[in-house]
Amino acid sequence: MSPLTRSAAPTALAALVLALSACSGPPPAEDPRPNRSPAATDARARPHAGTGPVLRAELASPTDIDLSWRDVDGAEGADASGHVLEFATDAAGPYTVLRYLPRGVTGHRHPDLMPRTTFHYRLRAFRGPASGPVDVALPPGAPGAQDETDENTDHGWLPPRTDPARTVRGRPLGPTGGGAPTDLKAAVKHANGILFRWTDNSSDEEGFLLEVRTRDASGYVPVAVLDRDVNAVGLITLPSEKRASYRVRAFTYGARSNVVRRTTGLPTGG
């Protein structure tokens, strides 16, 4: 990925190309999250037994699809930390992550899609404990001359990595917080850059989520999806994230939902 997304790491580029090829234009400004992850978690994570959420899809317009879902009472998704929504334009895949959504969100619109194309969707829960939060306050406003100089220098601190000194003998993730990441630290690298480090205490995580709560938000939302065993990553912030609270969540996946499909039509006036 380019530094204009969330980091200089290139590992999620293929997924980004697939996502953009399905749309008639660039992604909407209010929905940048899938393109900002320093590293994409492997979508082929091991399956789990259990009952997945029930997913529905409706055409909101000829080129917009609304997704909604609910967890079955008593099923494993009822205590989920959130859900990951995936899509494909072929029934056999490959599927691309559309978005990681926090607990309490039960719908999402996939907008501005390619006309006369069939889209396939599936959903699965993720769960796991989060670290304690860390507050970050970057300089407000646009970067100055020195900040711009700093931003054009080496960004070797941005890519996700594993620091052996911050990895301990892990324990399985548990519903009461067992295996949660600890000792989260945030180091300001320049006016828009933060380096995060934490201690990995889990033995069976399928990945980590870096989450943010901005000053005006009521809860945390994922901003970066990371592979298992990662315990350090850099982030290039958006303006709203310069003064915010951050935390890291270790997670595992739950059972997948049913697959739903809808075919787009012609744009209005087409």
Side-chain angles (χ1 to χ4, degrees):
M1 278 191 165
S2 72
L4 296 179
T5 54
R6 298 314 299 274
S7 95
T11 53
L13 183 58
L16 173 59
V17 170
L18 285 171
L20 293 182
S21 67
C23 300
S24 58
E30 69 272 17
D31 191 18
R33 299 295 173 184
N35 305 340
R36 299 164 62 209
S37 302
T41 299
D42 189 347
R44 300 168 297 172
R46 62 184 184 272
H48 288 246
T51 303
V54 177
L55 180 63
R56 295 182 175 87
E58 299 293 339
L59 279 174
S61 78
T63 56
D64 296 333
I65 296 177
D66 280 348
L67 291 305
S68 62
W69 56 88
R70 65 178 178 85
D71 288 306
V72 178
D73 291 341
E76 61 174 20
D79 64 346
S81 304
H83 294 87
V84 55
L85 183 62
E86 303 172 321
F87 81 97
T89 54
D90 188 289
Y95 277 80
T96 297
V97 171
L98 183 58
R99 200 163 213 198
Y100 280 77
L101 297 145
R103 181 183 178 90
V105 175
T106 57
H108 183 77
R109 173 166 290 186
H110 196 190
D112 305 323
L113 300 172
M114 183 180 295
R116 292 181 173 176
T117 302
T118 298
F119 288 82
H120 308 260
Y121 297 92
R122 67 189 186 189
L123 184 82
R124 56 181 169 176
F126 64 84
R127 65 180 47 76
S131 70
V134 59
D135 294 330
V136 177
L138 296 176
Q146 183 57 50
D147 297 320
E148 292 178 353
T149 299
D150 291 343
E151 291 182 8
N152 289 325
T153 59
D154 177 50
H155 279 77
W157 51 273
L158 272 172
R161 58 195 176 280
T162 300
D163 179 358
R166 285 181 167 266
T167 301
V168 301
R169 186 179 180 87
R171 56 183 294 190
L173 295 174
T176 59
T182 56
D183 196 29
L184 176 63
K185 305 294 184 185
V188 175
K189 304 300 287 187
H190 55 63
N192 294 293
I194 310 169
L195 172 61
F196 294 95
R197 296 188 182 95
W198 61 92
T199 300
D200 175 6
N201 298 298
S202 52
S203 61
D204 61 346
E205 82 278 357
E206 293 178 277
F208 291 92
L209 293 174
L210 178 62
E211 302 176 340
V212 63
R213 186 181 68 190
T214 57
R215 296 180 68 184
D216 298 327
S218 59
Y220 287 85
V221 296
V223 291
V225 189
L226 306 163
D227 290 332
R228 59 175 62 91
D229 297 330
V230 168
N231 57 17
V233 69
L235 184 75
I236 301 299
T237 61
L238 296 179
S240 63
E241 298 165 352
K242 291 165 73 69
R243 297 178 65 88
S245 176
Y246 293 86
R247 68 186 185 187
V248 173
R249 181 185 305 276
F251 71 91
T252 59
Y253 288 113
R256 286 195 175 100
S257 71
N258 54 306
V259 174
V260 296
R261 57 190 59 83
R262 289 292 181 271
T263 301
T264 54
L266 288 174
T268 302

PDB file of all heavy atoms in Angstrom, residues 134-166:
ATOM      1  N   VAL A 134      -4.865   3.543  25.088  1.00  0.00           N
ATOM      2  CA  VAL A 134      -3.808   4.535  25.203  1.00  0.00           C
ATOM      3  C   VAL A 134      -4.267   5.775  24.450  1.00  0.00           C
ATOM      4  O   VAL A 134      -4.796   5.679  23.336  1.00  0.00           O
ATOM      5  CB  VAL A 134      -2.466   4.006  24.647  1.00  0.00           C
ATOM      6  CG1 VAL A 134      -2.573   3.615  23.185  1.00  0.00           C
ATOM      7  CG2 VAL A 134      -1.358   5.023  24.847  1.00  0.00           C
ATOM      8  N   ASP A 135      -4.146   6.935  25.059  1.00  0.00           N
ATOM      9  CA  ASP A 135      -4.563   8.187  24.435  1.00  0.00           C
ATOM     10  C   ASP A 135      -3.391   8.820  23.703  1.00  0.00           C
ATOM     11  O   ASP A 135      -2.257   8.829  24.205  1.00  0.00           O
ATOM     12  CB  ASP A 135      -5.099   9.162  25.487  1.00  0.00           C
ATOM     13  CG  ASP A 135      -6.384   8.661  26.133  1.00  0.00           C
ATOM     14  OD1 ASP A 135      -7.143   7.946  25.450  1.00  0.00           O
ATOM     15  OD2 ASP A 135      -6.624   8.986  27.316  1.00  0.00           O
ATOM     16  N   VAL A 136      -3.675   9.357  22.523  1.00  0.00           N
ATOM     17  CA  VAL A 136      -2.653   9.988  21.698  1.00  0.00           C
ATOM     18  C   VAL A 136      -3.125  11.377  21.308  1.00  0.00           C
ATOM     19  O   VAL A 136      -4.296  11.570  20.957  1.00  0.00           O
ATOM     20  CB  VAL A 136      -2.379   9.160  20.427  1.00  0.00           C
ATOM     21  CG1 VAL A 136      -1.370   9.866  19.533  1.00  0.00           C
ATOM     22  CG2 VAL A 136      -1.883   7.766  20.788  1.00  0.00           C
ATOM     23  N   ALA A 137      -2.236  12.345  21.375  1.00  0.00           N
ATOM     24  CA  ALA A 137      -2.535  13.715  20.965  1.00  0.00           C
ATOM     25  C   ALA A 137      -1.434  14.184  20.023  1.00  0.00           C
ATOM     26  O   ALA A 137      -0.327  14.511  20.457  1.00  0.00           O
ATOM     27  CB  ALA A 137      -2.645  14.637  22.178  1.00  0.00           C
ATOM     28  N   LEU A 138      -1.733  14.202  18.730  1.00  0.00           N
ATOM     29  CA  LEU A 138      -0.806  14.713  17.728  1.00  0.00           C
ATOM     30  C   LEU A 138      -1.046  16.202  17.525  1.00  0.00           C
ATOM     31  O   LEU A 138      -2.125  16.719  17.836  1.00  0.00           O
ATOM     32  CB  LEU A 138      -1.004  13.975  16.403  1.00  0.00           C
ATOM     33  CG  LEU A 138      -0.700  12.471  16.415  1.00  0.00           C
ATOM     34  CD1 LEU A 138      -1.040  11.860  15.067  1.00  0.00           C
ATOM     35  CD2 LEU A 138       0.741  12.211  16.764  1.00  0.00           C
ATOM     36  N   PRO A 139      -0.058  16.925  16.989  1.00  0.00           N
ATOM     37  CA  PRO A 139      -0.247  18.364  16.758  1.00  0.00           C
ATOM     38  C   PRO A 139      -1.445  18.605  15.854  1.00  0.00           C
ATOM     39  O   PRO A 139      -1.617  17.922  14.841  1.00  0.00           O
ATOM     40  CB  PRO A 139       1.062  18.777  16.078  1.00  0.00           C
ATOM     41  CG  PRO A 139       2.050  17.744  16.476  1.00  0.00           C
ATOM     42  CD  PRO A 139       1.284  16.468  16.619  1.00  0.00           C
ATOM     43  N   PRO A 140      -2.309  19.569  16.193  1.00  0.00           N
ATOM     44  CA  PRO A 140      -3.482  19.822  15.356  1.00  0.00           C
ATOM     45  C   PRO A 140      -3.114  20.516  14.056  1.00  0.00           C
ATOM     46  O   PRO A 140      -2.025  21.074  13.906  1.00  0.00           O
ATOM     47  CB  PRO A 140      -4.333  20.742  16.235  1.00  0.00           C
ATOM     48  CG  PRO A 140      -3.332  21.457  17.089  1.00  0.00           C
ATOM     49  CD  PRO A 140      -2.238  20.466  17.364  1.00  0.00           C
ATOM     50  N   GLY A 141      -4.057  20.462  13.114  1.00  0.00           N
ATOM     51  CA  GLY A 141      -3.876  21.190  11.868  1.00  0.00           C
ATOM     52  C   GLY A 141      -2.973  20.464  10.884  1.00  0.00           C
ATOM     53  O   GLY A 141      -2.536  19.343  11.103  1.00  0.00           O
ATOM     54  N   ALA A 142      -2.676  21.157   9.785  1.00  0.00           N
ATOM     55  CA  ALA A 142      -1.817  20.604   8.743  1.00  0.00           C
ATOM     56  C   ALA A 142      -0.377  20.559   9.225  1.00  0.00           C
ATOM     57  O   ALA A 142       0.049  21.388  10.030  1.00  0.00           O
ATOM     58  CB  ALA A 142      -1.922  21.452   7.477  1.00  0.00           C
ATOM     59  N   PRO A 143       0.415  19.604   8.737  1.00  0.00           N
ATOM     60  CA  PRO A 143       1.824  19.527   9.150  1.00  0.00           C
ATOM     61  C   PRO A 143       2.613  20.725   8.669  1.00  0.00           C
ATOM     62  O   PRO A 143       2.359  21.279   7.604  1.00  0.00           O
ATOM     63  CB  PRO A 143       2.310  18.232   8.497  1.00  0.00           C
ATOM     64  CG  PRO A 143       1.346  17.963   7.392  1.00  0.00           C
ATOM     65  CD  PRO A 143       0.046  18.532   7.824  1.00  0.00           C
ATOM     66  N   GLY A 144       3.583  21.132   9.484  1.00  0.00           N
ATOM     67  CA  GLY A 144       4.470  22.214   9.100  1.00  0.00           C
ATOM     68  C   GLY A 144       5.604  21.731   8.230  1.00  0.00           C
ATOM     69  O   GLY A 144       5.663  20.556   7.849  1.00  0.00           O
ATOM     70  N   ALA A 145       6.530  22.626   7.929  1.00  0.00           N
ATOM     71  CA  ALA A 145       7.636  22.286   7.019  1.00  0.00           C
ATOM     72  C   ALA A 145       8.472  21.144   7.567  1.00  0.00           C
ATOM     73  O   ALA A 145       8.836  20.225   6.838  1.00  0.00           O
ATOM     74  CB  ALA A 145       8.491  23.524   6.774  1.00  0.00           C
ATOM     75  N   GLN A 146       8.783  21.173   8.880  1.00  0.00           N
ATOM     76  CA  GLN A 146       9.597  20.114   9.460  1.00  0.00           C
ATOM     77  C   GLN A 146       8.845  18.784   9.454  1.00  0.00           C
ATOM     78  O   GLN A 146       9.420  17.733   9.202  1.00  0.00           O
ATOM     79  CB  GLN A 146      10.003  20.463  10.894  1.00  0.00           C
ATOM     80  CG  GLN A 146      10.919  19.422  11.551  1.00  0.00           C
ATOM     81  CD  GLN A 146      12.196  19.186  10.760  1.00  0.00           C
ATOM     82  OE1 GLN A 146      12.887  20.133  10.397  1.00  0.00           O
ATOM     83  NE2 GLN A 146      12.519  17.922  10.465  1.00  0.00           N
ATOM     84  N   ASP A 147       7.516  18.846   9.713  1.00  0.00           N
ATOM     85  CA  ASP A 147       6.718  17.622   9.677  1.00  0.00           C
ATOM     86  C   ASP A 147       6.705  17.015   8.290  1.00  0.00           C
ATOM     87  O   ASP A 147       6.792  15.803   8.127  1.00  0.00           O
ATOM     88  CB  ASP A 147       5.283  17.921  10.117  1.00  0.00           C
ATOM     89  CG  ASP A 147       5.210  18.406  11.554  1.00  0.00           C
ATOM     90  OD1 ASP A 147       5.950  17.859  12.379  1.00  0.00           O
ATOM     91  OD2 ASP A 147       4.435  19.319  11.826  1.00  0.00           O
ATOM     92  N   GLU A 148       6.577  17.869   7.264  1.00  0.00           N
ATOM     93  CA  GLU A 148       6.574  17.362   5.898  1.00  0.00           C
ATOM     94  C   GLU A 148       7.917  16.735   5.554  1.00  0.00           C
ATOM     95  O   GLU A 148       7.991  15.727   4.848  1.00  0.00           O
ATOM     96  CB  GLU A 148       6.234  18.479   4.926  1.00  0.00           C
ATOM     97  CG  GLU A 148       4.781  18.951   5.067  1.00  0.00           C
ATOM     98  CD  GLU A 148       4.463  20.104   4.138  1.00  0.00           C
ATOM     99  OE1 GLU A 148       5.399  20.617   3.496  1.00  0.00           O
ATOM    100  OE2 GLU A 148       3.280  20.482   4.056  1.00  0.00           O
ATOM    101  N   THR A 149       8.989  17.313   6.079  1.00  0.00           N
ATOM    102  CA  THR A 149      10.310  16.716   5.875  1.00  0.00           C
ATOM    103  C   THR A 149      10.385  15.352   6.536  1.00  0.00           C
ATOM    104  O   THR A 149      10.866  14.378   5.948  1.00  0.00           O
ATOM    105  CB  THR A 149      11.403  17.627   6.438  1.00  0.00           C
ATOM    106  OG1 THR A 149      11.372  18.880   5.745  1.00  0.00           O
ATOM    107  CG2 THR A 149      12.784  16.995   6.278  1.00  0.00           C
ATOM    108  N   ASP A 150       9.874  15.259   7.774  1.00  0.00           N
ATOM    109  CA  ASP A 150       9.880  13.991   8.494  1.00  0.00           C
ATOM    110  C   ASP A 150       9.063  12.932   7.750  1.00  0.00           C
ATOM    111  O   ASP A 150       9.447  11.765   7.676  1.00  0.00           O
ATOM    112  CB  ASP A 150       9.298  14.171   9.903  1.00  0.00           C
ATOM    113  CG  ASP A 150      10.212  14.993  10.792  1.00  0.00           C
ATOM    114  OD1 ASP A 150      11.400  15.138  10.445  1.00  0.00           O
ATOM    115  OD2 ASP A 150       9.726  15.507  11.814  1.00  0.00           O
ATOM    116  N   GLU A 151       7.916  13.346   7.174  1.00  0.00           N
ATOM    117  CA  GLU A 151       7.035  12.388   6.508  1.00  0.00           C
ATOM    118  C   GLU A 151       7.635  11.862   5.213  1.00  0.00           C
ATOM    119  O   GLU A 151       7.213  10.823   4.715  1.00  0.00           O
ATOM    120  CB  GLU A 151       5.670  13.030   6.245  1.00  0.00           C
ATOM    121  CG  GLU A 151       4.886  13.274   7.537  1.00  0.00           C
ATOM    122  CD  GLU A 151       3.517  13.865   7.269  1.00  0.00           C
ATOM    123  OE1 GLU A 151       3.130  13.940   6.084  1.00  0.00           O
ATOM    124  OE2 GLU A 151       2.839  14.239   8.232  1.00  0.00           O
ATOM    125  N   ASN A 152       8.587  12.573   4.663  1.00  0.00           N
ATOM    126  CA  ASN A 152       9.230  12.139   3.427  1.00  0.00           C
ATOM    127  C   ASN A 152      10.510  11.342   3.680  1.00  0.00           C
ATOM    128  O   ASN A 152      11.195  10.956   2.739  1.00  0.00           O
ATOM    129  CB  ASN A 152       9.542  13.346   2.535  1.00  0.00           C
ATOM    130  CG  ASN A 152       8.291  13.958   1.948  1.00  0.00           C
ATOM    131  OD1 ASN A 152       7.343  13.254   1.630  1.00  0.00           O
ATOM    132  ND2 ASN A 152       8.269  15.279   1.816  1.00  0.00           N
ATOM    133  N   THR A 153      10.847  11.127   4.946  1.00  0.00           N
ATOM    134  CA  THR A 153      12.022  10.339   5.285  1.00  0.00           C
ATOM    135  C   THR A 153      11.642   8.872   5.427  1.00  0.00           C
ATOM    136  O   THR A 153      10.515   8.467   5.133  1.00  0.00           O
ATOM    137  CB  THR A 153      12.664  10.859   6.579  1.00  0.00           C
ATOM    138  OG1 THR A 153      11.701  10.801   7.648  1.00  0.00           O
ATOM    139  CG2 THR A 153      13.117  12.307   6.413  1.00  0.00           C
ATOM    140  N   ASP A 154      12.559   8.081   5.917  1.00  0.00           N
ATOM    141  CA  ASP A 154      12.369   6.635   6.005  1.00  0.00           C
ATOM    142  C   ASP A 154      11.143   6.277   6.854  1.00  0.00           C
ATOM    143  O   ASP A 154      10.950   6.808   7.945  1.00  0.00           O
ATOM    144  CB  ASP A 154      13.620   6.002   6.605  1.00  0.00           C
ATOM    145  CG  ASP A 154      13.448   4.503   6.784  1.00  0.00           C
ATOM    146  OD1 ASP A 154      13.042   3.844   5.821  1.00  0.00           O
ATOM    147  OD2 ASP A 154      13.726   4.017   7.900  1.00  0.00           O
ATOM    148  N   HIS A 155      10.292   5.384   6.324  1.00  0.00           N
ATOM    149  CA  HIS A 155       9.123   4.905   7.051  1.00  0.00           C
ATOM    150  C   HIS A 155       9.280   3.427   7.403  1.00  0.00           C
ATOM    151  O   HIS A 155       8.322   2.653   7.360  1.00  0.00           O
ATOM    152  CB  HIS A 155       7.856   5.116   6.219  1.00  0.00           C
ATOM    153  CG  HIS A 155       7.315   6.511   6.281  1.00  0.00           C
ATOM    154  ND1 HIS A 155       7.874   7.549   5.585  1.00  0.00           N
ATOM    155  CD2 HIS A 155       6.277   7.042   6.980  1.00  0.00           C
ATOM    156  CE1 HIS A 155       7.195   8.672   5.828  1.00  0.00           C
ATOM    157  NE2 HIS A 155       6.225   8.388   6.671  1.00  0.00           N
ATOM    158  N   GLY A 156      10.460   3.045   7.772  1.00  0.00           N
ATOM    159  CA  GLY A 156      10.704   1.667   8.136  1.00  0.00           C
ATOM    160  C   GLY A 156       9.942   1.207   9.351  1.00  0.00           C
ATOM    161  O   GLY A 156       9.803  -0.005   9.579  1.00  0.00           O
ATOM    162  N   TRP A 157       9.426   2.149  10.137  1.00  0.00           N
ATOM    163  CA  TRP A 157       8.666   1.803  11.340  1.00  0.00           C
ATOM    164  C   TRP A 157       7.199   1.454  11.034  1.00  0.00           C
ATOM    165  O   TRP A 157       6.488   0.952  11.904  1.00  0.00           O
ATOM    166  CB  TRP A 157       8.694   2.963  12.340  1.00  0.00           C
ATOM    167  CG  TRP A 157       8.308   4.277  11.731  1.00  0.00           C
ATOM    168  CD1 TRP A 157       9.120   5.169  11.104  1.00  0.00           C
ATOM    169  CD2 TRP A 157       6.990   4.833  11.668  1.00  0.00           C
ATOM    170  NE1 TRP A 157       8.404   6.254  10.645  1.00  0.00           N
ATOM    171  CE2 TRP A 157       7.091   6.075  10.994  1.00  0.00           C
ATOM    172  CE3 TRP A 157       5.743   4.419  12.125  1.00  0.00           C
ATOM    173  CZ2 TRP A 157       5.997   6.904  10.746  1.00  0.00           C
ATOM    174  CZ3 TRP A 157       4.642   5.237  11.890  1.00  0.00           C
ATOM    175  CH2 TRP A 157       4.787   6.456  11.211  1.00  0.00           C
ATOM    176  N   LEU A 158       6.736   1.690   9.810  1.00  0.00           N
ATOM    177  CA  LEU A 158       5.326   1.484   9.491  1.00  0.00           C
ATOM    178  C   LEU A 158       4.892   0.019   9.348  1.00  0.00           C
ATOM    179  O   LEU A 158       3.847  -0.358   9.869  1.00  0.00           O
ATOM    180  CB  LEU A 158       4.978   2.227   8.198  1.00  0.00           C
ATOM    181  CG  LEU A 158       4.531   3.676   8.334  1.00  0.00           C
ATOM    182  CD1 LEU A 158       4.405   4.319   6.958  1.00  0.00           C
ATOM    183  CD2 LEU A 158       3.205   3.764   9.074  1.00  0.00           C
ATOM    184  N   PRO A 159       5.636  -0.845   8.654  1.00  0.00           N
ATOM    185  CA  PRO A 159       5.116  -2.196   8.401  1.00  0.00           C
ATOM    186  C   PRO A 159       4.902  -3.005   9.678  1.00  0.00           C
ATOM    187  O   PRO A 159       5.655  -2.860  10.662  1.00  0.00           O
ATOM    188  CB  PRO A 159       6.210  -2.836   7.533  1.00  0.00           C
ATOM    189  CG  PRO A 159       6.924  -1.688   6.901  1.00  0.00           C
ATOM    190  CD  PRO A 159       6.901  -0.600   7.938  1.00  0.00           C
ATOM    191  N   PRO A 160       3.883  -3.878   9.706  1.00  0.00           N
ATOM    192  CA  PRO A 160       3.668  -4.767  10.852  1.00  0.00           C
ATOM    193  C   PRO A 160       4.857  -5.706  11.031  1.00  0.00           C
ATOM    194  O   PRO A 160       5.472  -6.142  10.063  1.00  0.00           O
ATOM    195  CB  PRO A 160       2.413  -5.557  10.453  1.00  0.00           C
ATOM    196  CG  PRO A 160       1.794  -4.780   9.337  1.00  0.00           C
ATOM    197  CD  PRO A 160       2.897  -4.078   8.642  1.00  0.00           C
ATOM    198  N   ARG A 161       5.162  -6.030  12.274  1.00  0.00           N
ATOM    199  CA  ARG A 161       6.284  -6.927  12.541  1.00  0.00           C
ATOM    200  C   ARG A 161       6.101  -7.584  13.903  1.00  0.00           C
ATOM    201  O   ARG A 161       5.259  -7.191  14.708  1.00  0.00           O
ATOM    202  CB  ARG A 161       7.614  -6.174  12.480  1.00  0.00           C
ATOM    203  CG  ARG A 161       7.718  -5.023  13.447  1.00  0.00           C
ATOM    204  CD  ARG A 161       8.895  -4.125  13.073  1.00  0.00           C
ATOM    205  NE  ARG A 161       8.988  -2.946  13.901  1.00  0.00           N
ATOM    206  CZ  ARG A 161       8.250  -1.856  13.727  1.00  0.00           C
ATOM    207  NH1 ARG A 161       7.338  -1.805  12.775  1.00  0.00           N
ATOM    208  NH2 ARG A 161       8.398  -0.809  14.517  1.00  0.00           N
ATOM    209  N   THR A 162       6.946  -8.575  14.150  1.00  0.00           N
ATOM    210  CA  THR A 162       6.935  -9.296  15.420  1.00  0.00           C
ATOM    211  C   THR A 162       8.223  -9.003  16.167  1.00  0.00           C
ATOM    212  O   THR A 162       9.313  -9.245  15.651  1.00  0.00           O
ATOM    213  CB  THR A 162       6.807 -10.809  15.176  1.00  0.00           C
ATOM    214  OG1 THR A 162       5.584 -11.070  14.478  1.00  0.00           O
ATOM    215  CG2 THR A 162       6.803 -11.569  16.493  1.00  0.00           C
ATOM    216  N   ASP A 163       8.084  -8.473  17.362  1.00  0.00           N
ATOM    217  CA  ASP A 163       9.226  -8.197  18.238  1.00  0.00           C
ATOM    218  C   ASP A 163       9.299  -9.329  19.256  1.00  0.00           C
ATOM    219  O   ASP A 163       8.429  -9.438  20.128  1.00  0.00           O
ATOM    220  CB  ASP A 163       9.029  -6.854  18.934  1.00  0.00           C
ATOM    221  CG  ASP A 163      10.173  -6.511  19.889  1.00  0.00           C
ATOM    222  OD1 ASP A 163      11.096  -7.328  20.035  1.00  0.00           O
ATOM    223  OD2 ASP A 163      10.112  -5.425  20.488  1.00  0.00           O
ATOM    224  N   PRO A 164      10.306 -10.212  19.175  1.00  0.00           N
ATOM    225  CA  PRO A 164      10.372 -11.351  20.106  1.00  0.00           C
ATOM    226  C   PRO A 164      10.376 -10.930  21.565  1.00  0.00           C
ATOM    227  O   PRO A 164       9.892 -11.669  22.426  1.00  0.00           O
ATOM    228  CB  PRO A 164      11.691 -12.038  19.716  1.00  0.00           C
ATOM    229  CG  PRO A 164      11.927 -11.631  18.294  1.00  0.00           C
ATOM    230  CD  PRO A 164      11.407 -10.231  18.193  1.00  0.00           C
ATOM    231  N   ALA A 165      10.898  -9.737  21.850  1.00  0.00           N
ATOM    232  CA  ALA A 165      10.952  -9.282  23.239  1.00  0.00           C
ATOM    233  C   ALA A 165       9.565  -8.984  23.793  1.00  0.00           C
ATOM    234  O   ALA A 165       9.388  -8.894  25.008  1.00  0.00           O
ATOM    235  CB  ALA A 165      11.834  -8.041  23.336  1.00  0.00           C
ATOM    236  N   ARG A 166       8.583  -8.817  22.900  1.00  0.00           N
ATOM    237  CA  ARG A 166       7.219  -8.516  23.341  1.00  0.00           C
ATOM    238  C   ARG A 166       6.272  -9.693  23.096  1.00  0.00           C
ATOM    239  O   ARG A 166       5.068  -9.511  23.002  1.00  0.00           O
ATOM    240  CB  ARG A 166       6.702  -7.260  22.642  1.00  0.00           C
ATOM    241  CG  ARG A 166       7.316  -5.986  23.199  1.00  0.00           C
ATOM    242  CD  ARG A 166       6.778  -4.744  22.510  1.00  0.00           C
ATOM    243  NE  ARG A 166       7.141  -3.542  23.249  1.00  0.00           N
ATOM    244  CZ  ARG A 166       6.388  -2.959  24.154  1.00  0.00           C
ATOM    245  NH1 ARG A 166       5.202  -3.470  24.449  1.00  0.00           N
ATOM    246  NH2 ARG A 166       6.783  -1.873  24.787  1.00  0.00           N
TER     247      ARG A 166
END
